[in-house]
Amino acid sequence: MIERSAMKTAILCLFVVMALIQVVRPQLLWKINRPLQKPFVKDYDATEPTDAGYMMSRAVGAVVLVASVTMLINTL
């Protein structure tokens, strides 16, 4: 059985990786999530975020990255 601290560390590492991707390449996350949109969206290009939307996504990713790195450091 995995210890709680090891599980918490693994989850925080996953958050760090996802937040880092969101900060560096938010378009990549948009393309990865396209299959999930298929039942709901007819035109993918019409629903893609604008540059301002991607900038907001980067800002949120930066906040999540700082928070998850801080929690990871405290856990270790």
Side-chain angles (χ1 to χ4, degrees), residues 5 8 13 23-25 28 35 44-45 48 51-52 61 68 75:
S5 62
K8 186 176 179 181
C13 286
V23 168
V24 176
R25 293 263 319 178
L28 181 63
Y44 296 115
D45 296 328
E48 186 172 2
D51 290 338
S68 57
T75 300

Side-chain angles (χ1 to χ4, degrees), residues 39-63:
F40 308 106
V41 177
K42 292 181 182 178
D43 184 14
Y44 296 115
D45 296 328
T47 60
E48 186 172 2
T50 62
D51 290 338
Y54 281 130
M55 189 58 74
M56 189 65 184
S57 178
R58 282 188 174 105
V60 170
V63 170

Side-chain angles (χ1 to χ4, degrees), residues 10-44:
I11 291 171
L12 286 172
C13 286
L14 181 66
F15 282 171
V16 168
V17 170
M18 291 299 292
L20 192 60
I21 291 171
Q22 189 170 355
V23 168
V24 176
R25 293 263 319 178
Q27 295 89 350
L28 181 63
L29 290 177
W30 182 258
K31 289 178 184 174
I32 290 172
N33 288 328
R34 270 188 150 182
L36 297 174
Q37 300 174 16
K38 189 175 184 177
F40 308 106
V41 177
K42 292 181 182 178
D43 184 14
Y44 296 115

